[in-house]
Amino acid sequence: MTKYIIKRVIMALITLLIITFVLFLLVRIMPGNPFPSERMSAAAIAKKRAEMGLDNPMMVQFWNYIKTLITTGSFGNGSALYNGAPISSVLPVAMSNSFRIGGIAILFGVFVGLILGIAAALNRGHFWDVFCTVLSIIGVCVPSYVFMIFLQYFFAYKVTIFPFYFDSARFLHSAIMPALSLSLFSMSTVARFTRNEMVEVMDSDYVLLASAKGMYGTKLVTKHILRNALIPIVTVIAPLIVDLLTGALVVEKIYGINGIGKLMVDSITGEGVDYNYVLALGILYSALYIVIMLILDIAYGLLDPRIRVSSSKEG
Amino acid sequence: MKKFKAIGVAILAVVMAAALCACGGGGNEPAPSGSGADAGEKSMTYTLIYGNNEGDEVALVAQSLKDQWEEAFPGVTINLQPMTKAERLDKMQNDNYTIALTRWGPDYADPMTYLGMWTTGTANNYGFWSNADYDALIKSCSSGELAGDYDARWAALYDAEKLVMDDAVIAPLYTKANANLIADGVEGVEFHPVALNRVYKRATSATGTLNVMFATNVMSLDTNLATDGDSFEIIADCIDGLTQMDADGAAVPAIAESWDISDDQMTYTFHLRKDATWNNGTPVTANDFEFAWKLAMTANVEYNYMFDSTVGCVKNADAILYDGGDVDTLGVKALDDYTLEVQLEAPVSFFPSLMYFPTFYPINQAFYESVGADNYGTSPETFLSNGAFVLSEYTPGTASPKVAKNPAYYDAASVQLQGINYQVVDGSDNALTAFKNATLDIAVVSGDQVKAVNDDATLSKNLKVTGAGYMWYVTFSQTVNADSNGDFANKNLRLAFTNAIDREFVVDNYVMDGSLATFTCVPPQFAASATTGEDFSADQSKFADVCSYNLEAAQGFFETAASELGY
């Protein structure tokens, strides 16, 4: 198992390096100027480009970037965004906002989704099943921004329970609506998957055998049904988590949240294209995906020993 | 292991594909119009580029221009090409376009902020127009013999404007307005089309605080680095310059109690008030100005051009900025703690009004050096205020910066507001709802919402249209480049296109927020004569023979152009 994990980690690092290289190249062939200016002379802009090392050959630039990243852990300074402020002064706040709101959305989405899914599966064909199915279909079909505007209209305008915009000084109070809007899709997806997987497992022979042996209730559900149904569900949840942590762009725009989704869009569609921000955020996104997938692989092993054995043999 | 190899191969494949697409991007763009070898079959096909992230109405205006031109000139085809503002600017600055929809906002209250754009070799001269007479006139007005004779200069600026208009270097479209909603009980907020768009020093509100909408994030609170209106607004809330704007936009004493101007109008001696302090207790001194100005000289920043001989004419600024001169030779000197002497290379009629522009604001040297250049202005702890408000909540990128009343402000007695809470609202989609909800006290709504506001008896009373200052215009590349076949080097073709635009129709049907149809290359509302106070562009019909909505004339120009170009 340890050998397997080490191999996975090394592969993950190599993947991240490749992704960084690709991002590094792509961002430089993007249209748009890293030093947007309608007033500076060409000479002044050329000086700025030189200061940022953009005149060096691509491989030298990449090597310097990686070297700085590894030795100092710094993503450098921005160029177009926030007038060249160090990325380290902007990114942590944005990450903290996005991750905290995403975290609430995950907790809510996964918990409520699981509960709804289990309730639906256990009451197949009855009210809870229909309720859960309808809710999931609505949740999957209605884009989160529609739900979000709906929430904002009713709970911030018609009835003023929650503030209209996000305010980091009143975090929990103002984060509830954005988190709810975000969690709708994942909640529905988890509920739908849980129901389907559980129904499949419940029809299998070993569950029939278990109940024939006299097992029933919570023990049957958690030990035999849920555990076997969880593997495919975990596969669905993992990318949802990354999406929730990073993909809250529209929600961040509408609620005025200073998060990484908004930062990513600002760094591309602002006055100019900010190479270092795009890169830093790209690396962050990739790293998140890779880490979550790594955890997922390990989680598989814990949930189902067969996977662990076969994987370690393969590796 | 196999799985990883597969992933690796897949990633590489995606990379190659993406790289190919990106490199091949040029190939997908419309071919240069009429550049084909099949002469005789030439078609007049041109591409109009515009930003898709510069306001809701821009795409509509672009579509309307296309419709109007195609209808006026049979045989002309206009292809619309939306792109981000960054890409649009990139194309314009690298001369890789044919027609572009662009805008310019005044930096200071003088026609030169526009006219300076069309001199030979200036970065904003996107058409690459060149006229020696024009260059000479502009030079004479900014730092030459006319600079000191304010009335003669004003007249010469008219002559310069006429050269641009006669040659149809650009086609002015409209001067943007802001449709503001202002809550009941809010009084005294001053709106300006130039420099500082909203000033709150004399504002009052029923609750004592104001909730104000920002359209974009604050980019920087460093007076040297800031470039956008929202940043300037917070900076001006918190920092006073030598002068400040009064309700009409005139320069009035602020940190400078008074100033003497030498007989040759080239030396300004500012006498600073002695009761002004930074909010860490240190007094505001002349050295704070000298330090800030010299810092701007060395920092390679957007607005340091305002010191050079095209604008502020501060002594030796050109030599320092463009020829590597010693920064200590800059014509600014703290004679003592409370006397600042500024030497100019030429008389500048609007010099006192430049002093309320944030680039000329003071920075406390000791504080700046103690927090470091990278951190300066990135939090309330790393920012110093000497003005009506202090920064109370801010991190770079925040959507809700806040300022609070500064009890140590020298004029604190006349500041009524206890604080201002800003909220960045991305797009005005929900600004109207937030305003109705009293979440916002001051909001800017888009043109299509103005109608809804006007239909609502209560809301319409809250509507106040103010000049936003900037002008939207069309620029034509006069060169042969990767996108253009150079047809627009033909003056008659440019005149034809300019005269075929129904600007009133565009403003009434697509912009809809009170913006003004504009027929002069210096827009109205922002530049008044130093001697008479008259608006430079009050008369919008002065170039009616070369810029108006006149289809007959347009078609006449077009026929001449078509025969000259061999179509």
Side-chain angles (χ1 to χ4, degrees):
Chain A
M1 187 70 185
T2 323
K3 203 178 147 198
Y4 168 64
I5 291 176
I6 291 173
K7 272 195 173 167
R8 279 274 149 123
V9 170
I10 292 174
M11 285 309 290
L13 286 175
I14 293 174
T15 315
L16 193 59
L17 191 71
I18 294 174
I19 291 173
T20 309
F21 181 66
V22 171
L23 275 170
F24 196 84
L25 291 183
L26 286 182
V27 89
R28 275 160 177 73
I29 44 180
M30 245 164 94
N33 192 326
F35 300 103
S37 171
E38 294 180 84
R39 293 174 182 84
M40 276 192 213
S41 62
I45 293 176
K47 202 172 142 198
K48 286 203 151 197
R49 288 186 69 91
E51 277 169 15
M52 211 173 115
L54 290 176
D55 294 340
N56 295 331
M58 199 72 90
M59 288 314 291
V60 176
Q61 287 183 42
F62 183 67
W63 170 244
N64 287 339
Y65 184 81
I66 292 293
K67 206 167 64 183
T68 320
L69 186 61
I70 291 173
T71 51
T72 65
S74 157
F75 288 115
N77 285 21
S79 59
L81 210 55
Y82 304 118
N83 297 105
I87 292 178
S88 58
S89 72
V90 177
L91 198 56
V93 182
M95 276 168 68
S96 140
N97 282 335
S98 285
F99 287 2
R100 283 189 297 168
I101 292 174
I104 298 177
I106 292 164
L107 284 180
F108 189 80
V110 171
F111 268 93
V112 177
L114 274 176
I115 290 168
L116 280 177
I118 294 168
L122 295 180
N123 297 287
R124 215 181 331 165
H126 294 91
F127 171 76
W128 279 109
D129 192 16
V130 179
F131 177 79
C132 169
T133 310
V134 171
L135 206 67
S136 319
I137 290 173
I138 293 175
V140 174
C141 298
V142 176
S144 64
Y145 64 86
V146 173
F147 186 59
M148 178 169 65
I149 291 168
F150 176 86
L151 277 184
Q152 207 180 32
Y153 183 75
F154 281 99
F155 294 107
Y157 178 59
K158 283 284 170 194
V159 195
T160 46
I161 301 176
F162 296 114
F164 211 84
Y165 295 114
F166 173 73
D167 179 359
S168 52
R170 290 188 296 162
F171 177 78
L172 205 58
H173 193 209
S174 59
I176 286 179
M177 283 204 304
L180 261 184
S181 342
L182 270 178
S183 67
L184 189 69
F185 180 82
S186 47
M187 188 185 84
S188 313
T189 313
V190 171
R192 218 159 40 93
F193 255 83
T194 311
R195 183 205 173 269
N196 293 349
E197 284 304 322
M198 278 190 59
V199 164
E200 207 169 290
V201 174
M202 279 158 76
D203 286 344
S204 61
D205 292 344
Y206 59 86
V207 174
L208 187 67
L209 178 68
S211 43
K213 285 196 298 184
M215 198 181 259
Y216 62 93
T218 328
K219 204 173 172 191
L220 179 67
V221 173
T222 50
K223 209 165 172 201
H224 290 276
I225 305 177
L226 202 54
R227 184 157 181 190
N228 282 298
L230 263 183
I231 294 170
I233 297 170
V234 167
T235 321
V236 183
I237 291 177
L240 278 179
I241 291 177
V242 186
D243 282 351
L244 282 182
L245 289 180
T246 59
L249 165 70
V250 186
V251 175
E252 286 177 1
K253 271 183 98 142
I254 295 213
Y255 286 105
I257 300 165
N258 163 28
I260 51 178
K262 188 168 179 300
L263 197 58
M264 184 66 162
V265 171
D266 285 348
S267 59
I268 296 173
T269 65
E271 299 277 305
V273 177
D274 200 309
Y275 291 175
N276 281 349
Y277 271 97
V278 178
L279 262 177
L281 289 164
I283 293 172
L284 181 73
Y285 283 142
S286 317
L288 269 176
Y289 258 107
I290 289 172
V291 168
I292 298 256
M293 289 304 168
L294 194 66
I295 294 174
L296 183 72
D297 279 343
I298 297 167
Y300 276 154
L302 296 177
L303 284 170
D304 185 347
R306 282 172 301 179
I307 293 178
R308 186 166 56 209
V309 174
S310 60
S311 299
S312 57
K313 264 185 197 160
E314 190 202 322
Chain B
M1 208 54 202
K2 267 181 197 160
K3 206 159 118 197
F4 282 112
K5 274 181 192 154
I7 292 172
V9 170
I11 289 174
L12 279 176
V14 170
V15 173
M16 303 286 233
L20 280 175
C21 288
C23 297
N28 297 334
E29 284 162 18
S33 40
S35 62
D38 49 336
E41 286 295 313
K42 289 204 292 185
S43 67
M44 296 177 95
T45 304
Y46 308 108
T47 304
L48 169 65
I49 59 172
Y50 64 94
N52 54 11
N53 58 343
E54 299 182 78
D56 301 337
E57 80 277 6
V58 177
L60 298 174
V61 172
Q63 180 66 45
S64 177
L65 289 176
K66 170 186 160 77
D67 294 346
Q68 295 188 36
W69 286 334
E70 287 180 348
E71 201 182 317
F73 311 125
V76 165
T77 310
I78 305 291
N79 292 320
L80 295 180
Q81 207 180 359
M83 57 188 65
T84 62
K85 185 181 180 189
E87 196 179 347
R88 173 175 75 71
L89 282 179
D90 203 39
K91 278 187 181 288
M92 287 165 60
Q93 286 170 338
N94 294 309
D95 194 25
N96 180 18
Y97 78 103
T98 309
I99 313 173
L101 185 53
T102 183
R103 62 178 238 190
W104 181 257
D107 288 340
Y108 49 94
D110 188 83
M112 196 61 88
T113 189
Y114 281 89
L115 294 172
M117 290 200 287
W118 297 295
T119 51
T120 307
T122 301
N124 310 94
N125 187 353
Y126 300 117
F128 294 86
W129 179 70
S130 179
N131 180 318
D133 293 342
Y134 182 80
D135 293 350
L137 261 180
I138 294 299
K139 177 121 187 62
S140 173
C141 290
S142 51
S143 59
E145 60 271 25
L146 285 175
D149 184 344
Y150 295 164
D151 285 324
R153 174 179 182 271
W154 204 249
L157 288 175
Y158 275 116
D159 297 340
E161 187 185 24
K162 187 164 165 35
L163 288 175
V164 175
M165 294 307 296
D166 282 348
D167 256 13
V169 178
I170 63 153
L173 290 179
Y174 56 93
T175 308
K176 187 77 169 71
N178 283 332
N180 304 283
L181 286 174
I182 301 172
D184 296 330
V186 176
E187 303 285 343
V189 181
E190 292 158 8
F191 294 86
H192 302 290
V194 63
L196 311 174
N197 296 122
R198 295 183 290 211
V199 175
Y200 303 94
K201 289 207 171 84
R202 290 161 285 267
T204 55
S205 86
T207 57
T209 57
L210 273 185
N211 300 300
V212 176
M213 165 184 160
F214 268 164
T216 56
N217 275 4
V218 169
M219 283 292 161
S220 178
L221 293 183
D222 184 331
T223 49
N224 275 331
L225 297 177
T227 54
D228 61 297
D230 290 343
S231 302
F232 287 157
E233 183 165 326
I234 293 204
I235 288 173
D237 288 342
C238 298
I239 303 181
D240 265 10
L242 290 168
T243 66
Q244 280 300 334
M245 289 178 117
D246 73 358
D248 302 318
V252 291
I255 298 293
E257 256 174 344
S258 64
W259 53 90
D260 307 321
I261 308 172
S262 66
D263 290 339
D264 64 0
Q265 302 172 79
M266 303 217 286
T267 304
Y268 282 70
T269 310
F270 292 95
H271 304 287
L272 273 53
R273 56 188 315 137
K274 297 188 172 68
D275 55 351
T277 57
W278 295 102
N279 63 326
N280 65 354
T282 29
V284 180
T285 64
N287 182 60
D288 296 339
F289 288 91
E290 187 184 332
F291 172 72
W293 292 21
K294 287 182 175 169
L295 194 62
M297 287 292 109
T298 50
N300 199 11
V301 291
E302 180 95 354
Y303 278 100
N304 57 18
Y305 89 99
M306 290 185 77
F307 290 88
D308 77 14
S309 63
T310 63
V311 189
C313 298
V314 178
K315 193 174 167 189
N316 291 328
D318 280 19
I320 297 164
L321 286 173
Y322 311 121
D323 294 322
D326 179 6
V327 71
D328 282 328
T329 60
L330 187 72
V332 58
K333 194 167 172 29
L335 298 181
D336 59 52
D337 274 357
Y338 298 102
T339 314
L340 184 76
E341 184 191 80
V342 181
Q343 289 184 318
L344 306 185
E345 285 176 351
V348 177
S349 60
F350 50 93
F351 195 76
S353 72
L354 277 182
M355 297 301 105
Y356 57 59
F357 193 81
T359 306
F360 296 92
Y361 285 2
I363 296 175
N364 184 277
Q365 181 170 5
F367 183 79
Y368 183 86
E369 284 166 356
S370 74
V371 298
D374 266 357
N375 295 322
Y376 179 70
T378 54
S379 67
E381 292 73 36
T382 55
F383 180 80
L384 271 195
S385 161
N386 70 6
F389 300 92
V390 291
L391 193 63
S392 53
E393 237 184 87
Y394 177 76
T395 53
T398 179
S400 47
K402 294 180 176 62
V403 298
K405 185 177 172 175
N406 178 7
Y409 182 45
Y410 61 84
D411 195 20
S414 62
V415 178
Q416 300 294 314
L417 288 180
Q418 292 307 307
I420 306 171
N421 307 321
Y422 290 99
Q423 175 64 51
V424 177
V425 176
D426 223 315
S428 56
D429 296 339
N430 65 5
L432 185 58
T433 323
F435 180 81
K436 287 193 211 165
N437 184 34
T439 299
L440 293 174
D441 295 319
I442 297 181
V444 179
V445 291
S446 63
D448 51 356
Q449 290 172 324
V450 169
K451 193 178 174 312
V453 168
N454 275 325
D455 289 346
D456 185 318
T458 33
L459 262 186
S460 60
K461 278 186 282 195
N462 298 107
L463 184 68
K464 181 184 166 99
V465 175
T466 58
Y470 55 92
M471 174 177 74
W472 280 96
Y473 65 94
V474 172
T475 176
F476 310 98
S477 175
Q478 300 182 22
T479 65
V480 178
N481 61 44
D483 187 68
S484 168
N485 62 357
D487 276 359
F488 283 96
N490 185 297
K491 179 176 123 181
N492 286 312
L493 188 62
R494 299 196 300 270
L495 282 168
F497 272 58
T498 299
N499 284 285
I501 305 168
D502 188 347
R503 292 164 176 81
E504 302 285 357
F505 174 80
V506 169
V507 167
D508 291 346
N509 292 285
Y510 299 117
V511 190
M512 298 188 294
D513 56 5
S515 293
L516 298 173
T518 303
F519 301 87
T520 52
C521 69
V522 176
Q525 294 178 333
F526 80 96
S529 156
T531 52
T532 65
E534 156 209 22
D535 185 339
F536 187 78
S537 296
D539 178 9
Q540 281 291 305
S541 60
K542 58 190 169 188
F543 304 116
D545 54 332
V546 285
C547 182
S548 61
Y549 177 49
N550 185 341
L551 274 183
E552 209 178 307
Q555 277 152 356
F557 286 126
F558 183 74
E559 276 163 28
T560 318
S563 69
E564 282 169 359
L565 291 167
Y567 283 101

